[in-house]
Amino acid sequence: MSRFVVAILVATAATAMMPATAARAQSAQCVVTEIVASNDKKGLDARLDRFKGKLSRPPFSSWDTFVLVGEQSVTAERLKPASAPLTQGTLTLLFKDKMAAQGGRARLRFGVDLDNRQGRRSVSTVVVFDSSDPLLIAGEPVRGGTYILALGCSAQ
């Protein structure tokens, strides 16, 4: 039993003495893109070309028309909620952490809350995604189509 306690103390002391491998990111810069998807046979809005790869695969391939309805930049400070008005309500982001790099890109952990125009929460989740690789959240019906929120963030 005493060997076990000694091993824990040694491991704890070694961990405490290790230098920090990387400074924690204190903020993340995000681009929030609002899209309406439908089956109007009008194709992809030219301003959404950067999302073509994601929008052409399931489940998004079930729609044939994608229109940009809004886009803005949001800076999210670590562990401080950042709100942004949207055409369909309000977005609140909580930058939780920058995690170890995978495949050359850092992974970011965010809390995402999406409230509709009536103030009712339609999405409340925690997501982990690659830095600069947009996350698409869809499902809210709007104007004869479906509302899609694209969230792309990067942190240094």
Side-chain angles (χ1 to χ4, degrees):
M1 179 76 169
S2 64
R3 286 184 191 167
F4 180 70
V5 172
V6 170
I8 290 176
L9 290 174
V10 169
T12 303
T15 303
M17 292 172 44
M18 291 174 63
T21 57
R24 285 195 151 161
Q26 295 303 311
S27 66
Q29 292 66 44
C30 301
V31 176
V32 179
T33 306
E34 299 175 88
I35 303 166
V36 172
S38 66
N39 284 312
D40 293 340
K41 307 232 182 287
K42 295 182 181 173
L44 180 69
D45 187 321
R47 298 169 293 177
L48 296 173
D49 274 344
R50 66 188 180 277
F51 300 110
K52 189 174 186 174
K54 287 189 181 258
L55 294 173
S56 62
R57 293 190 304 248
F60 304 103
S61 61
S62 62
W63 297 289
D64 61 21
T65 302
F66 299 94
V67 178
L68 176 73
V69 293
E71 187 167 66
Q72 61 185 299
S73 296
V74 177
T75 298
E77 291 185 48
R78 190 169 177 278
L79 300 179
K80 292 183 182 177
S83 293
L86 302 173
T87 61
Q88 298 302 311
T90 305
L91 172 69
T92 303
L93 297 175
L94 182 63
F95 176 38
K96 293 180 176 272
D97 208 359
K98 177 180 175 183
M99 300 163 67
Q102 301 251 338
R105 287 194 214 179
R107 296 189 54 83
L108 306 176
R109 188 164 54 110
F110 268 87
V112 179
D113 292 329
L114 185 57
D115 299 332
N116 65 18
R117 287 182 179 168
Q118 293 75 38
R120 184 175 211 179
R121 180 122 324 146
S122 57
V123 173
S124 183
T125 189
V126 174
V127 294
V128 177
F129 56 97
D130 288 344
S131 180
S132 300
D133 186 23
L135 168 75
L136 303 180
I137 301 171
E140 195 73 21
V142 60
R143 292 184 290 190
T146 301
Y147 182 76
I148 299 173
L149 184 75
L151 176 64
C153 300
S154 62
Q156 303 304 326

